[in-house]
Amino acid sequence: MADILETEMPLDRARREFRSDLLDAGLLLGTSVPGVYGRSAVFEAILTGLDRVLTEMASPLQATALRFPPVYPRADFERTDYIASFPDLSGVVSSFERGDREHRELLAAREQGEAWDGWLDPSDVVLTNAICHPLYATLEGRLPEGGGVFDIFGYGFRHEPSLDPMRMQSFRMHEFVYVGDPDGAQLYRDTWLDRAVETLVSLGLAVETVAANDPFFGRAGKMLISSQLRENLKIELVVPIYGDLADATAIASANCQRDHLTAAFGIRTSDGNVAHASCLAFGMERTTLALLRTHGLDVETWPLDVRARLGL
Ligand code: AMP
Ligand code: ZN
């Protein structure tokens, strides 16, 4: 162990120290799996206050609020193409669907300390990776005139185990999604990107915006990454967490989906054309951690105006 620590890279050390400071302060509770944490009441109070600020920011949108559970139908997942683009981030829920004999075999294997998950089969639900995905299946057909704006909040799963507390496997997002005509989608993304930056800056965060890409998998993914960057479809709101040791970390993103999901789900505007979508997605844990990194781990010492805004 000592040897590992001695040869540890400075960035890894900074991440490990931030993680252990959060655990020591009781803000996060570690588990045996990297990126899966419990949250303390204080952590939740910050996150809830932040959520109230974001909801107030978005109030002019008069968005329709919808909440979905953290799993959704595999058939809808199939339509999003997620398994083609991000197989490594996906999570399919497996369960036992066989008979008594197979159950006995499973128990015997388990008794021997052998793997027993071979007796499980993929069920008809997957873990939700992007919380706006379950929305699209509900919108099939024609939208009302002017399209729609939706407020979605919930847990997302991404299989990316890491010791960086900023990178979790299960975390909440709050998304404000526009579905309507192409010009409206572009205007929405650009307008609300600016509002989001203003709001996060007003909480003391040193936010910058950068052109970004999703981590499309493999060789085929390289082309998708370059076209996403070239067309400026994804902009991230980033905050420096580890100083000069790493690029600043994304706490939110503003995305033009164009017709990628709307075409797959057969969503049309009132005049019958394929709709376009764009979304503003806030990472709730990441933004909470950025606040803790910026203002310190003791909320009592935070600037009074920030505490007042967050109701702390
Ligand atoms: P994305 O859909 O990838 O743009 O994600 C939206 C937001 O969710 C990001 O800007 C992050 O704030 C947050 N996020 C994405 N991946 C993770 C992760 N592994 N752990 C914590 N937050 C994440
Ligand atoms: Zn989205």
Side-chain angles (χ1 to χ4, degrees):
M1 185 69 183
D3 286 351
I4 297 173
L5 293 183
E6 272 160 31
T7 55
E8 193 177 30
M9 302 298 281
L11 176 58
D12 290 335
R13 182 181 318 129
R15 288 174 166 159
R16 185 174 51 76
E17 284 174 357
F18 185 33
R19 183 177 190 276
S20 57
D21 289 349
L22 290 160
L23 299 183
D24 291 348
L27 288 157
L28 292 180
L29 288 79
T31 70
S32 58
V33 173
V36 178
Y37 298 94
R39 284 82 165 148
S40 74
V42 174
F43 189 94
E44 287 300 295
I46 302 168
L47 190 144
T48 306
L50 168 68
D51 204 48
R52 214 168 27 240
V53 169
L54 298 177
T55 305
E56 266 162 37
M57 169 202 81
S59 62
L61 286 169
Q62 297 191 300
T64 302
L66 297 173
R67 299 293 179 260
F68 296 95
V71 293
Y72 80 118
R74 184 141 69 107
D76 294 339
F77 174 74
E78 189 58 53
R79 292 169 91 177
T80 66
D81 240 10
Y82 200 89
I83 198 68
S85 297
F86 312 104
D88 49 336
L89 302 183
S90 309
V92 178
V93 177
S94 295
S95 192
F96 184 79
E97 296 179 342
R98 305 182 195 180
D100 264 336
R101 186 169 60 81
E102 289 86 352
H103 187 220
R104 278 195 300 276
E105 290 168 5
L106 180 159
L107 292 179
R110 180 168 173 266
E111 189 76 10
Q112 301 295 313
E114 289 166 11
W116 46 264
D117 47 2
W119 278 271
L120 302 186
D121 298 296
S123 72
D124 55 4
V125 293
V126 298
L127 299 176
T128 305
N129 307 100
I131 59 161
C132 60
H133 286 178
L135 167 71
Y136 294 103
T138 71
L139 298 178
E140 189 158 1
R142 282 200 190 203
L143 295 165
E145 221 178 304
V149 182
F150 301 89
D151 163 331
I152 318 279
F153 180 94
Y155 266 100
F157 169 83
R158 296 190 191 166
H159 176 249
E160 41 186 359
S162 168
L163 287 178
D164 181 359
M166 297 298 279
R167 190 172 295 284
M168 298 184 172
Q169 296 204 54
S170 186
F171 55 93
R172 281 158 287 182
M173 288 169 264
H174 199 153
E175 289 207 20
F176 300 96
V177 185
Y178 171 93
V179 190
D181 62 54
D183 291 346
Q186 184 73 45
L187 181 65
Y188 172 90
R189 198 281 293 263
D190 297 340
T191 310
W192 285 91
L193 167 65
D194 291 345
R195 296 297 309 277
V197 172
E198 274 165 35
T199 305
L200 295 171
V201 166
S202 77
L203 295 174
L205 297 174
V207 178
E208 302 219 4
T209 55
V210 294
N213 60 269
D214 289 308
F216 293 100
F217 184 81
R219 206 149 17 120
K222 291 213 167 66
M223 271 166 53
L224 294 168
I225 288 175
S226 58
S227 78
Q228 198 180 25
L229 285 169
R230 193 173 53 244
E231 298 182 48
N232 201 26
L233 299 182
K234 184 176 191 79
I235 297 178
E236 284 182 334
L237 289 74
V238 301
V239 173
I241 300 293
Y242 300 111
D244 295 338
L245 296 175
D247 289 343
T249 307
I251 57 169
S253 68
N255 308 287
C256 288
Q257 265 106 16
R258 300 250 165 102
D259 64 358
H260 175 63
L261 291 158
T262 39
F265 285 95
I267 304 168
R268 303 191 160 270
T269 57
S270 58
D271 55 15
N273 294 315
V274 176
H276 278 214
S278 50
C279 73
L280 182 62
F282 294 90
M284 299 307 297
E285 278 78 4
R286 277 209 187 159
T287 310
T288 301
L289 290 170
L291 287 164
L292 287 161
R293 190 70 166 167
T294 304
H295 299 307
L297 298 192
D298 181 1
V299 173
E300 305 282 321
T301 64
W302 284 19
L304 285 178
D305 62 318
V306 175
R307 287 178 68 184
R309 294 278 308 289
L310 298 174
L312 295 169

